[in-house]
């Protein structure tokens, strides 16, 4: 963890320092070595929160964009279960910075636990993800919308999308901030899954993301922008499905049917 409690204050780890865990209250030891970022650790290295992930520089640089009093917040649900949120805003939005793989059950239990949860996923952990993602962007369709939105027809062919295309609110971070100018760096927002198998994504400036959460206005953005666009995407798909249903398969010529199936088979490879 980045912070321990020392005399009622959140303190970062320094050599030899001692503090208490904000969640369970037990003693924490400061770990300040060369290999890992400075952090606090429970004795015996066992964390009281099974959801806690060892932190990388990537976690730390993300968290440090937000006020100290919003970082590493113990969040309780109605049953009294508690976990430490990476960032929790005043309005109750939780940001989780996810570096390692999460299985679908774990991801879902966090969505249910935090309710207002937004994921920022490290897209640089596996080398192939960024390449796959770029390929996906090249093969996708640009929708005719006011804001740039792309649609991909086979999200399951791309590992990151396969893992995250569900009802989560996800922003992918491909670490552009390190190379490009920070102001131009973008994240990719993945719209939650609809009834179709398509996935829709939208580029989102990293700076704007930080600004929105710092000003705690994501709730409004969600209500006024993301949610209506998502509804429009769903309605569009429904209209398309209805239109497709009008074309009965037997109205296609034998050749068209053959081509359609061939195309399908090829795209699944
Ligand atoms: Zn603890």
């Amino acid at each position: 963890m980045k912070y321990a409690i020392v005399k009622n204050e959140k303190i970062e780890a320094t050599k030899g320092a001692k503090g208490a865990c904000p969640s369970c209250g037990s003693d924490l030891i400061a770990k300040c070595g060369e290999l890992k970022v400075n952090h606090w650790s429970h004795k015996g290295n066992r964390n009281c929160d099974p959801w806690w992930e060892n932190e990388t520089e990537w976690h730390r640089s993300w968290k440090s964009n937000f006020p100290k009093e919003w970082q590493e917040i113990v969040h309780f649900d109605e049953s009294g279960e508690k976990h430490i949120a990476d960032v929790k805003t005043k309005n109750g939005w939780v940001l989780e910075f996810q570096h390692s793989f999460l299985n679908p059950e774990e991801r879902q239990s966090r969505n249910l636990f935090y309710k207002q949860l937004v994921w920022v996923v490290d897209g640089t952990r596996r080398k192939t993800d960024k390449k796959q993602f770029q390929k996906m962007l090249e093969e996708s369709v640009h929708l005719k919308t006011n804001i740039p939105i792309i649609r991909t027809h086979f999200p399951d062919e791309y590992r990151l999308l396969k893992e995250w295309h569900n009802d989560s609110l996800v922003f992918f971070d491909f670490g552009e901030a390190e190379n490009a100018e920070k102001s131009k760096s973008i994240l990719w927002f993945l719209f939650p899954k609809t009834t179709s198998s398509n996935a829709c994504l939208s580029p989102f400036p990293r700076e704007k993301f930080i600004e929105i959460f710092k000003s705690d206005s994501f709730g409004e953005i969600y209500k006024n922008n993301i949610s209506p666009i998502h509804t429009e995407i769903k309605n569009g798909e429904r209209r398309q499905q209805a239109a497709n249903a009008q074309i009965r398969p037997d109205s296609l010529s034998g050749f068209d049917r053959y081509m359609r199936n061939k195309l399908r088979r090829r795209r699944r490879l």
Side-chain angles (χ1 to χ4, degrees), residues 4 6 11-19 28-32 39-40:
V6 180
I11 305 291
E12 290 195 44
T14 50
K15 245 189 182 125
K18 285 189 181 120
L28 297 180
I29 307 159
K31 296 272 175 83
C32 307
H39 64 283
W40 293 95

Side-chain angles (χ1 to χ4, degrees), residues 53 56 58-59 98-103 121-130 159-160 163-164 173-175:
E53 179 182 14
T56 59
W58 177 79
H59 283 102
Q98 192 61 34
H99 171 74
S100 59
F101 171 77
L102 263 189
N103 69 45
V121 172
D122 187 353
T124 64
R125 186 175 62 92
R126 289 182 301 228
K127 278 195 175 140
T128 50
D129 284 339
K130 193 171 179 177
R159 200 153 49 158
L160 261 187
E163 286 167 11
W164 288 98
D173 176 14
F174 290 101

Side-chain angles (χ1 to χ4, degrees), residues 27-260:
D27 290 344
L28 297 180
I29 307 159
K31 296 272 175 83
C32 307
E34 304 260 299
L35 290 175
K36 290 183 186 168
V37 291
N38 288 357
H39 64 283
W40 293 95
S41 176
H42 288 74
K43 280 183 185 163
N45 282 331
R46 288 196 60 183
N47 201 296
C48 61
D49 188 347
W51 289 2
W52 189 258
E53 179 182 14
N54 279 338
E55 287 185 292
T56 59
E57 280 292 346
W58 177 79
H59 283 102
R60 283 294 170 84
S61 70
W62 261 112
K63 275 192 209 178
S64 62
N65 290 310
F66 305 99
K68 182 177 168 182
E69 57 276 22
W70 291 3
Q71 296 177 40
E72 298 187 353
I73 299 300
V74 183
H75 178 93
F76 291 83
D77 72 1
E78 311 83 39
S79 73
E81 187 179 332
K82 61 179 175 180
H83 293 286
I84 306 167
D86 283 337
V87 168
K88 186 178 170 186
T89 72
K90 266 203 176 130
N91 290 334
W93 283 92
V94 168
L95 285 173
E96 282 287 275
F97 302 107
Q98 192 61 34
H99 171 74
S100 59
F101 171 77
L102 263 189
N103 69 45
E105 294 77 28
E106 281 184 275
R107 191 192 50 232
Q108 188 54 13
S109 59
R110 293 182 205 192
N111 282 342
L112 293 172
F113 177 78
Y114 287 118
K115 292 187 179 72
Q116 291 175 232
L117 175 58
V118 173
W119 299 90
V120 177
V121 172
D122 187 353
T124 64
R125 186 175 62 92
R126 289 182 301 228
K127 278 195 175 140
T128 50
D129 284 339
K130 193 171 179 177
K131 266 190 207 155
Q132 277 194 0
F133 197 83
Q134 270 157 355
K135 183 168 169 270
M136 182 276 296
L137 290 180
E138 285 159 22
E139 291 176 356
S140 59
V141 179
H142 291 253
L143 300 188
K144 294 187 186 92
T145 40
N146 295 339
I147 62 158
I149 296 178
I150 60 119
R151 170 183 283 153
T152 177
H153 293 291
F154 301 98
D156 281 359
E157 289 179 4
Y158 309 97
R159 200 153 49 158
L160 261 187
L161 296 190
K162 191 180 161 111
E163 286 167 11
W164 288 98
H165 190 221
N166 43 65
D167 52 4
S168 305
L169 292 171
V170 188
F171 290 82
F172 294 117
D173 176 14
F174 290 101
E176 290 180 353
E178 279 102 75
N179 323 327
E181 285 172 59
K182 274 206 174 179
S183 59
K184 285 181 190 156
S185 171
I186 55 160
L187 307 171
W188 281 90
F189 174 65
L190 173 63
F191 283 90
K193 198 170 170 17
T194 61
T195 53
S196 85
S197 60
N198 298 329
C200 287
L201 294 114
S202 187
F204 207 96
R206 180 191 159 96
E207 280 204 333
K208 192 173 154 202
F209 178 93
I210 293 168
E211 204 180 284
I212 285 170
F213 278 93
K214 263 168 100 172
S215 61
D216 212 356
S217 52
F218 184 75
E220 285 145 56
I221 301 283
Y222 181 76
K223 194 171 132 233
N224 300 328
N225 301 80
I226 296 174
S227 187
I229 293 169
H230 193 223
T231 304
E232 193 39 54
I233 289 170
K234 283 189 277 190
N235 290 343
E237 285 176 350
R238 217 167 287 145
R239 283 193 297 271
Q240 189 63 46
Q241 279 161 3
N244 289 348
Q246 304 259 316
I247 311 166
R248 301 204 326 265
D250 54 8
S251 68
L252 293 173
S253 72
F255 179 73
D256 287 340
R257 257 202 312 275
Y258 166 78
M259 283 309 287
R260 195 185 56 175

